[in-house]
Amino acid sequence: MLLPILCYPDKKLRTIAKPVEAVNDAIKTQVKSMFETMYDAPGIGLAATQVDFHQRVIVIDVSDEQDQPLCLINPEIIEKSGEIEWEEGCLSVPNYYESVKRANDIKVRALDQNGEEFEMEASEILAVCIQHEIDHLNGILFVDHISKLKQKRLKEKANKQARL
Ligand code: NI
């Protein structure tokens, strides 16, 4: 099922998501719908927060063929190092791209969509994407990382569009 995506500056995007207590059928259905919504958009990552579901679930696929789905439930970054500056965008901030600095290499612990715990290492675009999506679960948007002046201009633009 395709889910509506919240758009900046919707205050619901500031909600801090709760940990998933059990990877049950309801969560599995949510994960499935989130993948469908992400591929349909199309996007390379989607956090539950963006579809107004406030539990810690993210879906990602950074592959060119969009055939490498990755689901992270209750993800935690346990190691990070290096630095990368990447031009980011977000399905919740349409048509807006800005460079953001993040860790280049990370190690993540999470549950998969069957509830099995696993750890993985990621770098470059995958590391950027995971950090971006985990930010969403904490109510943080990539635009929070840019300069105050740029944030002000973006907010003015978004408010203007919201009145149309
Ligand atoms: Ni995003």
Side-chain angles (χ1 to χ4, degrees), residues 50 89-92 132-133 136:
Q50 294 175 272
C90 179
L91 293 174
S92 294
H132 175 121
E133 303 311 333
H136 274 302

Side-chain angles (χ1 to χ4, degrees), residues 33-44:
S33 295
M34 283 174 60
F35 271 120
E36 284 175 27
T37 304
M38 178 187 78
Y39 286 127
D40 179 73
I44 60 169

Side-chain angles (χ1 to χ4, degrees), residues 89-129:
C90 179
L91 293 174
S92 294
V93 191
N95 307 314
Y96 191 78
Y97 303 89
E98 274 295 339
S99 284
V100 176
K101 279 185 192 152
R102 299 191 188 268
N104 187 64
D105 303 280
I106 60 171
K107 191 170 182 182
V108 187
R109 181 183 299 146
L111 303 178
D112 66 16
Q113 53 202 311
N114 298 312
E116 298 290 330
E117 188 177 287
F118 70 103
E119 285 182 9
M120 64 176 285
E121 288 176 2
S123 57
E124 299 180 338
I125 185 174
L126 183 55
V128 166
C129 191

